[in-house]
Amino acid sequence: AQSVAQPEDQVNVAEGNPLTVKCTYSVSGNPYLFWYVQYPNRGLQFLLKYITGDNLVKGSYGFEAEFNKSQTSFHLKKPSALVSDSALYFCAVSSLSGAGSYQLTFGKGTKLSVIP
Amino acid sequence: SAVISQKPSRDICQRGTSLTIQCQVDSQVTMMFWYRQQPGQSLTLIATANQGSEATYESGFVIDKFPISRPNLTFSTLTVSNMSPEDSSIYLCSGRDRGNYNEQFFGPGTRLTVL
């Protein structure tokens, strides 16, 4: 079975500072990795994905994520945080092999608070 | 990517009643999914809505409690039957682009409160 771990329930960062939201995964086969953001009372919005190719993936709103196969990690990063980045962030994984192919498995989410 | 709308956006219901949530996509999608997000929790997949056939349910979810319809490639409904307070949750519809098997997009969710 595939799984995702987001070890931090909450991350606090000062506006203008770099931010990192951590994610590790477990799958059989090659992983497809995603980050989504959820603002209060809204659905999930897609930020970025890793399918294959360069390990550094750039996405929406200045976010990027680095795929590290040896550490089975896919941490979300942004060089300079904005107050408007405050939201709930979900990491997700799917895989082409095994039962449940193409189904997304989500982490529990990390609440990001950017302090002015 | 496609845009998904859901109706209702929120509802407050009495115990023992049923609520049907509608999900409309503005383009055809190969796969549609229904998720539940309980307060402060992550997303849990309820079922995959299959066009023209019975939905595929995940462990812990059954058709009698969560009947699903998908009459075409742009529309699906989820019914929460015989509701109890434990069903209070956000219900999210999701779809996957026909041309892209990996990226899913989500509706705004339906916030359900059962009294």
Side-chain angles (χ1 to χ4, degrees):
Chain A
Q2 56 196 37
S3 64
V4 175
Q6 292 181 243
E8 302 154 317
D9 291 335
Q10 176 144 0
V11 170
N12 297 321
V13 63
E15 186 177 22
N17 282 3
L19 69 87
T20 298
V21 182
K22 296 180 181 177
C23 171
T24 58
Y25 65 89
S26 174
V27 293
S28 56
N30 294 321
Y32 289 9
L33 295 156
F34 305 83
W35 276 101
Y36 287 85
V37 60
Q38 185 178 36
Y39 296 99
N41 301 314
R42 304 278 293 276
L44 271 69
Q45 297 179 31
F46 170 79
L47 273 181
L48 51 80
K49 65 181 178 183
Y50 171 81
I51 304 299
T52 187
D54 290 341
N55 291 340
L56 184 63
V57 178
K58 294 186 183 297
S60 305
Y61 311 121
F63 284 93
E64 58 188 29
E66 186 167 12
F67 171 63
N68 187 318
K69 187 173 182 178
S70 63
Q71 297 185 3
T72 62
S73 67
F74 189 57
H75 301 331
L76 181 70
K77 300 181 180 183
K78 187 173 182 180
S80 178
L82 300 172
V83 173
S84 58
D85 293 330
S86 299
L88 188 57
Y89 290 81
F90 289 98
C91 182
V93 66
S94 74
S95 175
L96 282 174
S97 62
S101 295
Y102 296 114
Q103 289 180 2
L104 283 179
T105 299
F106 286 87
K108 64 180 181 179
T110 298
K111 182 179 179 181
L112 173 67
S113 293
V114 180
I115 303 162
Chain B
S1 60
V3 175
I4 296 182
S5 59
Q6 287 184 233
K7 288 193 296 186
S9 59
R10 60 177 61 223
D11 207 342
I12 301 174
C13 301
Q14 296 297 321
R15 180 195 297 262
T17 62
S18 297
L19 176 72
T20 295
I21 302 168
Q22 298 181 6
C23 174
Q24 179 73 56
V25 190
D26 69 350
S27 62
Q28 293 184 343
V29 290
T30 307
M31 304 181 76
M32 293 181 73
F33 308 90
W34 287 97
Y35 289 83
R36 181 173 72 184
Q37 184 180 19
Q38 294 181 306
Q41 303 287 321
S42 185
L43 280 75
T44 301
L45 180 63
I46 297 172
T48 301
N50 301 310
Q51 192 234 340
S53 65
E54 205 167 272
T56 305
Y57 289 84
E58 297 301 303
S59 175
F61 298 96
V62 295
I63 188 172
D64 290 345
K65 176 68 176 177
F66 297 102
I68 288 171
S69 77
R70 190 177 175 195
N72 56 51
L73 291 175
T74 64
F75 186 79
S76 179
T77 67
L78 169 75
T79 299
V80 186
S81 303
N82 188 25
M83 289 184 284
S84 66
E86 292 72 34
D87 294 320
S88 297
S89 188
I90 298 172
Y91 292 86
L92 291 153
C93 177
S94 177
R96 180 177 287 138
D97 285 339
R98 176 178 284 276
N100 183 337
Y101 274 97
N102 304 299
E103 180 178 331
Q104 276 182 232
F105 43 90
F106 289 80
T110 295
R111 184 179 294 271
L112 171 62
T113 302
V114 184
L115 303 177

